[in-house]
Amino acid sequence: MGGIAENDMRHARQCADSTVYIVDDDAGVCEALSTVLEAEGFKTRCFQTGSAFLASAHPEMRGCLLLDLCMPDCTGLEIQKALAQHEVQIPVVFLTGYGTLPTSSEAFRAGALDFLQKPVEHDLLVTRVAEAISMDAKHSAHGLQALSVRQRYAHLSGREREVLRFVVNGLSTKEMAREMGLSHRTVDTHRAHLMRKMGCSNLLQLMKEIGPLLEEEGFLE
């Protein structure tokens, strides 16, 4: 493994709150996967039924899911759909001894990261797990950043939000003053308060902070 894979591996091992959740009705498979991954420095947790895993699943769980396709109580695809319904966005890597093209296509359409055939090669398994955990950590960090931006935005006054909308639309201070019926100096004051509350030192930083959220309905209302 080189380059990107090594970086993913290093990043994954640094994610102390991440767990590899293994869901497989075969106790021997669970034990073998857990042994391999823990030897590589990953924390694991095993479940032999889909219902047991779903009972413990929650949106804040971090890491990745190694999911058997066919189990007695429910299929891997059913588990994947249940996770989506409960907004659990943990990356999913399917493991199966007899997957079909339609099944794998359905899994990928639902957001699966990979679909591996049993018995999976050691290095491939470790690489995919590292990639999944690294991806999850990045998504989690992005989510926390977005939450921080929303919280800061919530503390803006009505005038400050109005100024922000004008800034997003590229209006100059002079144009804002005319649109708002305020003096140039008053608009500058509102913009200064806006920048301070949003924790930004310049307009470029401000746009970078709020950029990913601009597509959200109601964000600038």
Side-chain angles (χ1 to χ4, degrees), residues 90-109:
I90 189 169
V92 178
V93 176
F94 277 98
L95 293 174
T96 182
Y98 38 85
T100 64
L101 182 57
T103 301
S104 60
S105 296
E106 184 177 353
F108 282 126
R109 285 197 301 272

Side-chain angles (χ1 to χ4, degrees), residues 41-141:
F42 299 104
K43 182 170 62 176
T44 67
R45 186 177 176 189
C46 296
F47 299 84
Q48 286 183 246
T49 66
S51 56
F53 169 71
L54 289 174
S56 69
H58 54 88
E60 289 74 34
M61 66 194 315
R62 300 270 63 87
C64 74
L65 172 60
L66 290 181
L67 182 58
D68 188 22
L69 180 63
C70 297
M71 290 175 287
D73 64 331
C74 56
T75 69
L77 292 176
E78 289 171 340
I79 294 172
Q80 186 184 28
K81 291 176 182 177
L83 292 176
Q85 291 171 354
H86 291 86
E87 299 184 349
V88 181
Q89 300 180 349
I90 189 169
V92 178
V93 176
F94 277 98
L95 293 174
T96 182
Y98 38 85
T100 64
L101 182 57
T103 301
S104 60
S105 296
E106 184 177 353
F108 282 126
R109 285 197 301 272
L113 180 63
D114 212 335
F115 200 97
L116 305 179
Q117 294 285 325
K118 297 177 183 176
V120 60
E121 181 186 345
H122 174 285
D123 287 348
L124 179 59
L125 173 67
V126 173
T127 297
R128 290 295 181 267
V129 166
E131 291 171 347
I133 290 179
S134 182
M135 176 187 297
D136 182 63
K138 292 172 184 176
H139 287 172
S140 177

